[in-house]
């Protein structure tokens, strides 16, 4: 498998009559930051949730490292290896920022509470939230809450991070602090799969952009290729015309 | 008036104190198990498979639909025919736990359903098993939301513990009835008994108000998607 962290082959998912994913395949290598873009309702979030089986795929296979995980019985063990950050943060409402980061270490990794506390503090410091360790989720801004949720996932030392539209529930002035943390993670070599429409972030971080529509990846390329394609004027059919059309709609 | 006061202090206080202690015994033995049963039934109803969920629903329906007195009669008078004989105390506590558990389960079930679905999803995404996620994430939140309802159930229990008297367990009401029958001072005796119940209920209410405050989390009650 070499340095391939994640391999997805023919992943499909149907909700009632609607086919949300139709045979999605791709590979993620160590240190990759792949970003999925595309219209809403096109299966991006479902794809991420199928990877760690928060949603069970109907068919297809996923390998995490050398392990085929679509049929793994120890799904909790698999999820420990894949951090996930949600659009609505989903911080545990009854726990402080520190408690949110600590609980996975204590309950899942069985770390002694004292060690877990120190480790959780260092993870909070990594996202610049150590000053807010004693605050409850309702006392945090959206950006702060999302940074805590990133720390909560990072604390589990995952092999790959899945970000499901991490800034789309945030006011524009709060997205920057979250994207900054993600940029730092990417430049630090963290392997990540991101669903995001923050194109400045996408262009600066993505190793590959995958444009999804109708439950399939219709176009894929590096940010450079997409920009070049847009700028080129050879008269040949554009390789990324659907991606570009979508981005133009985004720009509004 | 002096005579009444003397009677209360010299003749009534001792039996009523014994009765109140017996009532407290009933309450203290019933409340924790009623709470545990309430949690178990609520979790079984919401998260159990079809059979467990149906069993929990049937239990709640049965207990809610039966007067507590009938339930106590069944436990005390009918179970011996099945080979299970319980003392008046044990039969009363069993009935109270069953009743308390059923009503608590409804408060707790409502509280569980009020916990945002994302809480469980986030816990599972960290690698927690389903049971662990329910115990570590959902129930601590649900318990806070169910507390006002469950504390109300404790207050009901303080009052309906008087039904144990009918199974010949002498608690506060029973002690009062015996004293009144001896002295024929029904109004005075039952007024004092009522005051003792009022005191117990007030103390319990104050305790639960303190507990609610103690367990309060900033913004938790208003946290919604």
């Amino acid at each position: 498998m070499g340095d391939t962290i994640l391999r997805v082959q023919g992943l499909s998912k149907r909700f009632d009559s609607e086919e949300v994913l139709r045979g999605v395949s791709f590979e993620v290598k160590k240190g990759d930051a792949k970003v999925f873009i595309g219209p809403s309702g096109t299966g991006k979030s479902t794809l991420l949730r199928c990877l760690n089986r928060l949603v069970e795929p109907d068919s297809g296979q996923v390998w995490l490292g050398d392990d085929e995980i679509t049929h793994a019985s120890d799904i909790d063990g698999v999820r420990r290896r894949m951090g996930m950050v949600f659009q609505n943060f989903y911080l545990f409402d009854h726990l402080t920022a520190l408690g949110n980061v600590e609980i996975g270490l204590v309950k899942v990794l069985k770390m002694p509470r004292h060690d877990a506390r120190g480790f959780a503090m260092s993870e909070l410091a990594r996202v610049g939230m150590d000053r807010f360790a004693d605050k409850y989720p309702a006392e945090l801004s959206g950006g702060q809450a999302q940074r805590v949720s990133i720390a909560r996932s990072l604390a589990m030392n995952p092999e790959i991070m899945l970000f499901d539209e991490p800034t789309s529930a945030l006011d524009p002035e709060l997205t920057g602090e979250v994207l900054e943390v993600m940029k730092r993670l990417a430049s630090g070599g963290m392997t990540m799969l991101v669903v995001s429409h923050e194109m400045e972030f996408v262009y600066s971080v993505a190793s590959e952009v995958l444009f999804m529509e109708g439950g399939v990846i219709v176009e894929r390329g590096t940010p450079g290729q997409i920009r070049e394609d847009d700028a080129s004027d050879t008269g040949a059919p554009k390789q990324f015309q659907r991606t570009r059309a979508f981005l133009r709609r985004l720009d509004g | 008036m002096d005579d009444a006061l003397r009677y209360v202090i010299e003749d009534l206080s001792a039996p009523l104190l014994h009765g109140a202690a017996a009532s407290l015994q009933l309450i203290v033995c019933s409340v924790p198990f009623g709470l545990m049963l309430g949690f178990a039934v609520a979790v079984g109803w919401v998260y159990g498979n079809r059979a467990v969920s149906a069993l929990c629903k049937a239990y709640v329906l049965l207990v809610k639909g039966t007067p507590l007195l009938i339930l106590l009669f069944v436990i005390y008078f009918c179970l011996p025919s099945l080979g299970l004989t319980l003392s008046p105390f044990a039969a009363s506590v069993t009935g109270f736990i069953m009743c308390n558990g059923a009503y608590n389960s409804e408060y707790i079930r409502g509280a569980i359903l009020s916990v945002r679905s994302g809480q469980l999803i986030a816990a599972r995404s960290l690698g927690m098993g389903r049971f662990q996620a329910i115990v570590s994430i959902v129930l601590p939140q649900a318990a806070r939301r169910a507390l006002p309802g469950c504390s109300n159930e404790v207050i009901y229990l303080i009052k309906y513990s008087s039904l144990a008297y009918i199974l010949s367990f002498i608690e506060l009401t029973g002690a009062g009835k015996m004293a009144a029958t001896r002295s024929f001072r029904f109004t005075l005796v039952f007024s004092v008994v009522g005051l003792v119940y009022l005191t117990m209920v007030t103390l319990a209410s104050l305790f639960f108000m303190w507990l609610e405050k103690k367990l309060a989390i900033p913004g938790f009650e208003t946290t919604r998607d």
Side-chain angles (χ1 to χ4, degrees):
Chain A
M1 295 292 291
D3 59 353
T4 300
I5 294 250
L6 188 78
R7 190 152 64 90
V8 179
Q9 191 66 50
L11 208 63
S12 296
K13 179 66 189 176
R14 175 185 284 277
F15 291 118
D16 298 323
S17 60
E18 196 184 347
E19 202 169 7
V20 183
L21 294 177
R22 297 187 291 138
V24 175
S25 302
F26 62 93
E27 264 187 30
V28 183
K29 293 199 185 309
K30 193 170 171 53
D32 274 355
K34 300 212 180 228
V35 182
F36 288 89
I37 61 170
S40 56
T42 199
K44 304 180 299 294
S45 295
T46 305
L47 171 63
L48 291 197
R49 288 178 183 222
C50 280
L51 297 180
N52 65 0
R53 285 174 50 197
L54 285 175
V55 171
E56 286 291 347
D58 295 333
S59 61
Q61 287 176 299
V62 179
W63 285 265
L64 181 60
D66 291 330
D67 306 319
E68 204 281 317
I69 59 171
T70 24
H71 302 100
S73 55
D74 180 22
I75 187 57
D76 298 329
V78 169
R79 289 184 183 134
R80 272 169 230 164
R81 298 166 59 191
M82 305 172 96
M84 186 153 195
V85 173
F86 300 90
Q87 182 179 347
N88 291 322
F89 334 132
Y90 293 159
L91 287 185
F92 303 130
D93 292 329
H94 64 302
L95 298 174
T96 60
L98 182 63
N100 264 275
V101 182
E102 193 183 280
I103 193 163
L105 301 170
V106 174
K107 302 283 180 187
V108 179
L109 300 183
K110 308 294 179 199
M111 198 182 273
R113 192 167 283 278
H114 179 76
D115 297 350
R117 182 144 295 200
F119 191 67
M121 274 306 276
S122 67
E123 289 299 331
L124 281 175
R126 195 169 162 191
V127 297
M129 284 299 295
D130 47 333
R131 281 186 303 124
F132 300 90
D134 294 334
K135 297 285 183 197
Y136 284 92
E139 300 175 296
L140 300 173
S141 72
Q144 291 169 339
Q146 192 60 293
R147 280 149 67 195
V148 173
S149 97
I150 292 172
R152 179 175 66 179
S153 293
L154 288 176
M156 305 299 286
N157 196 20
E159 293 166 40
I160 182 169
M161 287 285 288
L162 312 176
F163 291 90
D164 185 9
E165 303 205 41
T167 57
S168 61
L170 301 178
D171 293 334
E173 67 267 25
L174 299 177
T175 58
E177 57 186 279
V178 174
L179 295 178
E180 201 50 50
V181 168
M182 292 171 65
K183 279 180 192 171
R184 278 210 310 273
L185 287 177
S187 62
M190 172 60 76
T191 311
M192 51 171 77
L193 278 184
V194 185
V195 174
S196 176
H197 293 139
E198 294 291 337
M199 293 316 293
E200 184 268 326
F201 165 79
V202 174
Y203 285 139
S204 66
V205 163
S207 54
E208 188 178 37
V209 180
L210 302 98
F211 176 66
M212 277 186 78
E213 203 169 40
V216 288
I217 298 168
V218 291
E219 291 172 356
R220 57 200 292 174
T222 63
Q225 286 171 325
I226 293 170
R227 278 188 171 134
E228 226 170 76
D229 184 65
D230 189 46
S232 70
D233 195 17
T234 59
K238 299 269 190 187
Q239 196 189 342
F240 295 104
Q241 52 184 320
R242 289 162 86 172
T243 306
R244 291 303 310 171
F246 171 72
L247 293 178
R248 272 196 297 276
R249 282 203 303 277
L250 265 190
D251 289 341
Chain B
M1 188 63 189
D2 283 350
D3 178 49
L5 196 59
R6 195 179 312 116
Y7 169 72
V8 170
I9 294 167
E10 290 177 3
D11 299 326
L12 192 58
S13 58
L16 287 196
L17 273 177
H18 278 292
S23 288
L24 277 177
Q25 251 183 302
L26 286 170
I27 295 159
V28 168
C29 291
S30 305
V31 167
F33 294 106
L35 209 54
M36 282 190 258
L37 183 63
F39 271 103
V41 171
V43 169
W45 181 320
V46 177
Y47 296 111
N49 61 27
R50 197 174 290 186
V52 171
S53 186
L55 197 69
C56 294
K57 282 176 199 168
Y59 165 74
V60 173
L61 198 68
L62 182 78
V63 175
K64 273 171 47 178
T66 316
L68 175 57
L69 188 57
I70 302 298
L71 188 65
L72 291 173
F73 282 162
V74 169
I75 294 167
Y76 188 60
F77 294 115
C78 303
L79 287 187
S81 63
L82 300 172
L84 184 63
T85 305
L86 296 176
S87 67
F89 177 79
S92 303
V93 168
T94 306
F96 296 157
I97 289 172
M98 286 180 69
C99 182
N100 204 234
Y103 283 99
N104 276 338
S105 76
E106 288 289 69
Y107 297 119
I108 296 165
R109 185 171 67 89
I112 287 174
L113 294 175
S114 79
V115 174
R116 300 187 296 161
S117 61
Q119 301 284 297
L120 197 55
I121 294 171
R124 298 303 309 275
S125 79
L126 283 180
M128 283 191 203
R130 189 172 153 82
F131 182 73
Q132 190 178 41
I134 291 168
V135 170
S136 302
I137 304 300
V138 176
L139 291 188
Q141 297 186 32
R144 284 176 170 85
R145 295 213 168 108
L147 185 57
C150 291
S151 62
N152 221 22
E153 246 348 272
V154 173
I155 284 161
Y156 279 130
L157 177 60
I158 291 172
K159 292 186 287 183
Y160 63 59
S161 64
S162 59
L163 290 177
Y165 163 62
I166 295 170
L167 299 189
S168 75
F169 180 77
I170 304 303
E171 40 63 72
L172 181 57
T173 303
K177 176 75 173 23
M178 286 165 72
T181 309
R182 275 198 303 270
S183 65
F184 290 102
R185 305 178 90 148
F186 287 94
T187 308
L188 178 63
V189 170
F190 284 117
S191 297
V192 175
V193 168
L195 271 177
V196 177
Y197 276 115
L198 183 63
T199 307
M200 289 202 288
V201 166
T202 306
L203 289 176
S205 301
L206 289 173
F207 168 73
F208 284 114
M209 280 160 69
W210 169 82
L211 191 62
E212 267 184 60
K213 218 170 170 178
K214 178 102 180 142
L215 296 178
I217 287 171
F220 177 69
E221 292 305 321
T222 51
T223 305
R224 294 289 182 277
D225 267 335

